[in-house]
Amino acid sequence: MSPARLRVLGVERVGPYALLRLGRGPLDPGTPGQFFMLRPPGLVVPRPMSLCLAPPGELAFLVDPVGAGTRALAGLERGDGVHVVGPLGNGFRLDVQRPLLLGGGIGVAPFPFLSARLGRPPALLGFRTAQHAEAAALVPNAEVVLEPTLVTELLSPGFDVLACGPEPMLEAVGRLEPAAQLAWEAPMACGFGACYGCAVEIGGRLARLCVEGPVLGGRVRGQIPAMAGKVAAA
Ligand SMILES: Cc1cc2nc3c(=O)[nH]c(=O)nc-3n(C[C@H](O)[C@H](O)[C@H](O)COP(=O)(O)OP(=O)(O)OC[C@H]3O[C@@H](n4cnc5c(N)ncnc54)[C@H](O)[C@@H]3O)c2cc1C
Ligand code: FES
């Protein structure tokens, strides 16, 4: 799959995060939970990002500036070019009866797009601080909790849970709701199965998360992807 060079339409601050808005070019937004590989000028290895919003003619990504790659993306300016490949991987299944979006921190990134596709279902979102929680404004019908309260404390039975967030949160959700759909993360260098940088252990075998995930169904419960040898994307 060859990269498209997309133009930056704008970068908006959302608490400590940056909402990077790109012209869509020839790319399809795909299914919520799928991801795109973004390479800003100056980087050799692209970085995986979930699609956050897909307004007409745009693709928007919510970026947490945690390292060199994400800081480069958050620091882009209108008119800059970004190499983008995608959509990649497997997103959330949308054939659910009673959806509940459950997320933590930058894990809320795919939820605005997911919420739009599912008809604005309820969402339970957890954040470290009130500043981080500003991202909840992007997700309709969201109930917000701040640490030390955990989103899993408010989870009641009877929902089809679609979750994205830090690994301990996903593990807890998988234990409470075996049928939940969980969006996992691993460092990724290629995004399409070629480098094995995203290899994780699922049920005693190595699997490439970029190909088999990032969204995995509850059926892998008890075989939660123990993150095997995280290979840093240089
Ligand atoms: C499918 C997928 C979707 C993602 N969607 C988003 C998104 O929408 N918004 C967003 O801000 N981030 C997202 N991420 C995470 C993002 O890709 C990483 O934070 C980014 O690649 C880090 O690059 P860096 O150069 O900024 O930091 P680095 O300096 O490379 O890393 C900073 C720290 O994060 C760790 N790290 C790097 N990549 C990952 C990873 N993928 N998982 C866990 N730890 C990691 C490193 O070990 C290091 O401790 C996603 C990751 C995946 C796999
Ligand atoms: S990121 Fe290269 S194989 Fe998954």
Side-chain angles (χ1 to χ4, degrees):
M1 194 182 284
S2 49
R5 190 164 186 276
L6 304 186
R7 282 261 159 245
V8 176
L9 302 177
V11 182
E12 292 158 21
R13 299 292 140 198
V14 182
Y17 308 122
L19 185 69
L20 172 63
R21 294 174 39 230
L22 304 177
R24 190 180 287 188
L27 299 187
D28 190 276
T31 303
Q34 284 190 293
F35 64 97
F36 291 75
M37 296 298 283
L38 271 64
R39 186 170 66 78
L43 275 200
V44 179
V45 178
R47 299 299 192 262
M49 291 284 138
S50 312
L51 187 63
C52 179
L53 285 162
E58 283 188 30
L59 299 176
F61 300 88
L62 191 66
V63 182
D64 188 6
V66 293
T70 43
R71 278 199 289 272
L73 288 168
L76 289 169
E77 291 180 0
R78 187 180 171 82
D80 286 341
V82 188
H83 285 93
V84 183
V85 177
L88 297 164
N90 295 307
F92 289 101
R93 277 188 298 101
L94 304 179
D95 58 342
V96 285
Q97 299 295 317
R98 217 178 151 213
L100 174 70
L101 314 189
L102 200 76
I106 189 61
V108 305
F111 285 177
F113 184 33
L114 180 60
S115 177
R117 284 286 171 93
L118 287 174
R120 302 161 66 96
L124 252 180
L125 309 179
F127 295 93
R128 264 184 289 154
T129 67
Q131 200 204 1
H132 290 87
E134 286 179 37
L138 297 170
V139 185
N141 300 321
E143 184 177 348
V144 175
V145 296
L146 296 183
E147 288 185 10
T149 307
L150 303 176
V151 273
T152 43
E153 293 171 32
L154 276 71
L155 180 58
S156 48
F159 288 99
D160 297 307
V161 176
L162 302 94
C164 187
E167 224 171 289
M169 188 205 98
L170 295 180
E171 285 167 358
V173 174
R175 281 191 296 273
L176 292 166
E177 286 291 337
Q181 299 183 56
L182 310 174
W184 296 89
E185 276 194 19
M188 293 182 180
C190 74
F192 52 82
C195 73
Y196 281 76
C198 66
V200 296
E201 192 189 311
I202 302 178
R205 69 182 173 87
L206 273 190
R208 289 161 298 173
L209 195 67
C210 68
V211 176
E212 298 200 21
V215 178
L216 298 173
R219 64 186 177 284
V220 297
R221 190 193 177 231
Q223 310 170 342
I224 294 291
M227 293 302 177
K230 291 191 173 185
V231 181

